[in-house]
Amino acid sequence: MPEVGGAMNTLSYGLLALLSVKPRTGYELMQQIQPLWRAKHSQIYPLLAKLEQLGCVRFVQVTQKEKPDKKIYSITETGLAKLRSWLPEQADEPVKRDELLLKAYCLSLAEPRQARHLIAERRALFQNHLAKYNAQLAELKRETGLSDGEPGLRSPYFGNYILIKRAIAGAQLELEWCSWVMHILDEEQGQCAERPEP
């Protein structure tokens, strides 16, 4: 939802959301937002400058030896107020863009070996994703002192926790689908006697 000067778009609110938990550098913001929203380095830094002009964020400059100085951004009361007013608004419908899904639609045109390779690549990708998400969950539990418990709504870690759990569930679902498709392909080649349900 753009405002005067075009500063407050969805990505602007996303940056404020991340800063509402803890201060971060521009690089850390870029790394943290990637799983949630496709954003380039060239988008984030100009938005941070605009948010600073609007009084939504402030930064402290940290001198580093043998490295360029870095800015650590934190959210202001103005930024928190904007975030609170944005939160209740209805979210846009999610946009799905996945090239493999388009290829899957006409997979019958591929050679069996090519078809299996495509699905195997996707499975390997999501095995890596799942390992990364599980590591993030373990790190979050260490950071917050959670063991098997879950943070409550008022915890600053609640949002990160439920998003990591969603990412884990999504990766597991993707892996189940890949296994199911690969069993169908193997069965076609006479290599598999039983087909698992998706």
Side-chain angles (χ1 to χ4, degrees):
M1 125 145 356
E3 289 187 4
V4 179
M8 296 306 294
N9 57 18
T10 305
L11 180 54
S12 299
Y13 287 112
L15 296 175
L16 291 179
L18 294 176
L19 291 173
S20 72
V21 175
K22 67 179 184 181
R24 302 173 199 267
T25 64
Y27 178 76
E28 288 168 336
L29 286 166
M30 185 176 67
Q31 294 291 104
Q32 193 76 27
I33 207 162
Q34 283 300 326
L36 313 174
W37 192 267
R38 293 279 173 159
K40 297 176 183 172
H41 183 276
S42 58
Q43 294 173 286
I44 288 175
Y45 286 94
L47 273 181
L48 284 169
K50 286 181 182 178
L51 288 169
E52 201 242 332
Q53 288 169 2
L54 290 169
C56 295
V57 302
R58 64 167 83 76
F59 67 85
V60 293
Q61 193 138 333
V62 177
T63 306
Q64 301 186 99
K65 289 182 179 178
E66 301 175 12
K67 286 184 182 178
D69 294 351
K70 66 180 178 180
K71 293 177 179 178
I72 300 177
Y73 294 88
S74 58
I75 194 167
T76 63
E77 286 302 319
T78 301
L80 284 169
K82 284 198 179 285
L83 204 50
R84 286 189 182 107
S85 68
W86 169 73
L87 265 171
E89 293 176 9
Q90 183 175 351
D92 290 338
E93 188 174 339
V95 177
K96 178 96 173 166
R97 287 176 58 189
D98 187 338
E99 187 180 357
L100 181 70
L101 299 186
L102 296 175
K103 290 185 176 189
Y105 197 79
C106 59
L107 203 57
S108 60
L109 300 175
E111 294 296 325
R113 191 168 47 89
Q114 293 171 327
R116 197 177 195 287
H117 180 69
L118 275 172
I119 304 302
E121 279 185 328
R122 176 56 60 98
R123 184 173 65 178
L125 176 70
F126 275 89
Q127 284 169 338
N128 288 336
H129 284 344
L130 184 59
K132 181 178 75 174
Y133 300 145
N134 279 322
Q136 287 174 349
L137 183 61
E139 176 60 29
L140 183 67
K141 287 185 173 186
R142 272 194 301 276
E143 198 175 305
T144 59
L146 292 167
S147 52
D148 290 331
E150 298 175 334
L153 174 62
R154 295 294 168 222
S155 166
Y157 300 100
F158 179 75
N160 197 13
Y161 177 78
I162 62 173
L163 288 173
I164 291 172
K165 292 290 276 187
R166 181 182 188 273
I168 288 171
Q172 289 170 334
L173 188 63
E174 189 83 19
L175 287 169
E176 285 173 24
W177 179 80
C178 288
S179 294
W180 174 66
V181 174
M182 287 181 78
H183 275 279
I184 293 172
L185 296 173
D186 289 345
E187 191 176 64
E188 286 279 323
Q189 297 298 302
Q191 298 173 7
C192 183
E194 284 188 29
R195 179 188 303 179
E197 290 300 316

